[in-house]
Amino acid sequence: MNQLSLPSLKTVVDEVFREAGAIDAGNVTTYIPELARVDPALFALSVCDASGAMIDCGDTRHSFTLQSISKVLGYACVLECFDDETIMRHVGVEPTGEDFDSIIKLDRHKRPFNPMVNAGAIAVTDLLLTRFGAEAAERSLDFFARLIGKEKLSVDEAVLASEQRTSERNRAIAHLLRNFKILENPVEDVLALYFRHCAVEVTTCDLARLGMTLANGGCPPGGGDPVLCPETLRKLLSVTLTCGMYNYAGQWVFEVGFPAKSGVSGGLLGIVPGRYGIGVFSPRVDEKGSSPRGVRVQKRLSAKLNLHMFAPD
Ligand code: GLN
């Protein structure tokens, strides 16, 4: 597949950024009160290629919390640590077609449908807690940092505390999971780790770099040893492709055609196998919890750069 020269890529990325900036649909997230304090006008886009070259537009220095994008990292960590049978006992790989925070409907095996919705991610977090015990937060954040290509990650403690205080819906989901014996650990311990993962701070450059690492056989852009094994990557990208955009997932594959994951803080990660990692941030999100600007950016980049995985060369 032919890779555009950097200046040509920059021209396309700049144009897509300018065009998407005209959209002001959606609202900042308010169910986590701290997220409502953000400036809704912020907008950033970063695209990273396999050499590590980064194209940045807008507020790329602004950091925001991963929120649901952390589900990709949590699932990656579990895939590296557990055998398939154990994982499959706790969480499946089928899209739900429902909202991310749907009060669970378990599948016929009595487990959450997939790890990209809250119920599944909470089940995944429980596995990490079982494996790492008191070191779970440190170990999982170190793992996330390796994937993102940073020494250390910071957590937005205000967002974390805000979600801890208000998230009765996730508490309800976790209690139901515990009732069905999917969670081994106490609900509050599992949620504390889950919320911590959601509150990890990143920039769009971090997302683009993470996306490129996942698009690049697990090798950091610009060179270096793989940070994930090929089997993990195959499973992770499959589930991210089919379930990453929740009740928008089918339409997403139809229109955009590469794995992506959104978060309610307005971040959107795009993974274009063999080609690019894309990070977008715009805090206004739609009723599905995805940023309309972010969605538009990924759609336009897919169309203009022929990024759909089934597009003819
Ligand atoms: N922390 C958020 C929650 O659990 C993440 C949801 C999201 O980004 N879609 O509700």
Side-chain angles (χ1 to χ4, degrees):
M1 201 164 293
N2 58 334
Q3 200 89 348
L4 276 190
S5 72
L6 212 53
S8 314
L9 179 63
K10 185 166 167 31
T11 306
V12 174
V13 171
D14 283 344
E15 200 180 303
V16 166
F17 180 75
R18 245 193 338 271
E19 188 195 300
I23 299 174
D24 61 3
N27 292 301
V28 299
T29 296
T30 52
Y31 79 93
I32 302 172
E34 190 64 25
L35 291 183
R37 291 161 50 95
V38 68
D39 173 1
L42 287 164
F43 186 26
L45 166 61
S46 300
V47 177
C48 181
D49 75 7
S51 74
M54 188 77 76
I55 294 170
D56 284 332
C57 304
D59 306 304
T60 52
R61 283 164 176 273
H62 182 86
S63 51
F64 53 94
T65 53
L66 277 174
Q67 297 304 328
S68 276
I69 300 171
S70 67
K71 292 170 169 129
V72 175
L73 301 169
Y75 191 48
C77 194
V78 153
L79 287 169
E80 293 274 292
C81 295
F82 292 88
D83 59 90
D84 280 1
E85 215 186 300
T86 308
I87 299 173
M88 284 298 196
R89 264 204 313 277
H90 289 80
V91 60
V93 291
E94 293 297 339
T96 60
E98 298 210 13
D99 292 345
F100 64 87
D101 59 353
S102 158
I103 299 274
I104 55 165
K105 197 170 87 185
L106 296 178
D107 69 11
R108 66 199 164 84
H109 303 288
K110 298 264 173 289
R111 55 182 188 187
F113 275 76
N114 70 68
M116 300 293 154
V117 291
N118 289 13
I122 292 169
V124 157
T125 308
D126 179 66
L127 282 170
L128 294 177
L129 200 54
T130 300
R131 170 59 54 99
F132 298 122
E135 288 177 11
E138 197 187 329
R139 294 284 287 268
S140 50
L141 259 58
D142 281 353
F143 177 85
F144 290 11
R146 243 188 346 272
L147 258 54
I148 291 173
K150 279 183 141 174
E151 277 282 289
K152 217 159 182 62
L153 292 171
S154 54
V155 166
D156 186 327
E157 296 291 341
V159 170
L160 171 59
S162 179
E163 188 162 22
Q164 289 266 29
R165 270 197 306 275
T166 53
S167 193
E168 296 311 334
R169 199 174 173 92
N170 281 322
R171 222 158 253 126
I173 293 172
H175 278 289
L176 279 167
L177 291 175
R178 178 106 168 140
N179 172 67
F180 289 114
K181 310 224 170 330
I182 292 162
L183 301 190
E184 272 179 38
N185 299 282
V187 162
E188 288 307 323
D189 296 356
V190 179
L191 287 179
L193 183 59
Y194 168 73
F195 294 147
R196 184 163 286 276
H197 290 169
C198 290
V200 164
E201 293 181 300
V202 288
T203 62
T204 51
C205 312
D206 295 331
L207 289 189
R209 206 182 147 75
L210 165 66
M212 190 61 234
T213 301
L214 300 178
N216 199 29
C219 295
D225 293 333
V227 289
L228 285 176
C229 74
E231 276 298 283
T232 295
L233 206 55
R234 176 176 62 76
K235 296 169 196 162
L236 181 67
L237 293 185
S238 303
V239 176
T240 308
L241 176 68
T242 53
C243 308
M245 299 299 284
Y246 318 117
N247 41 6
Y248 189 64
Q251 200 182 333
W252 184 266
V253 180
F254 190 77
E255 289 183 43
V256 183
F258 53 78
K261 186 81 201 78
S262 61
V264 290
S265 56
L268 185 46
L269 164 73
I271 305 156
V272 191
R275 300 193 62 185
Y276 305 116
I278 305 170
V280 196
F281 169 64
S282 171
R284 291 195 190 99
V285 296
D286 60 21
E287 73 289 351
K288 293 167 178 163
S290 301
S291 150
R293 279 182 179 169
V295 168
R296 175 68 67 90
V297 162
Q298 308 262 4
K299 271 191 197 168
R300 295 303 294 148
L301 287 177
S302 176
K304 284 181 179 261
L305 300 171
N306 202 33
L307 303 180
H308 195 294
M309 58 197 290
F310 302 130
D313 274 345

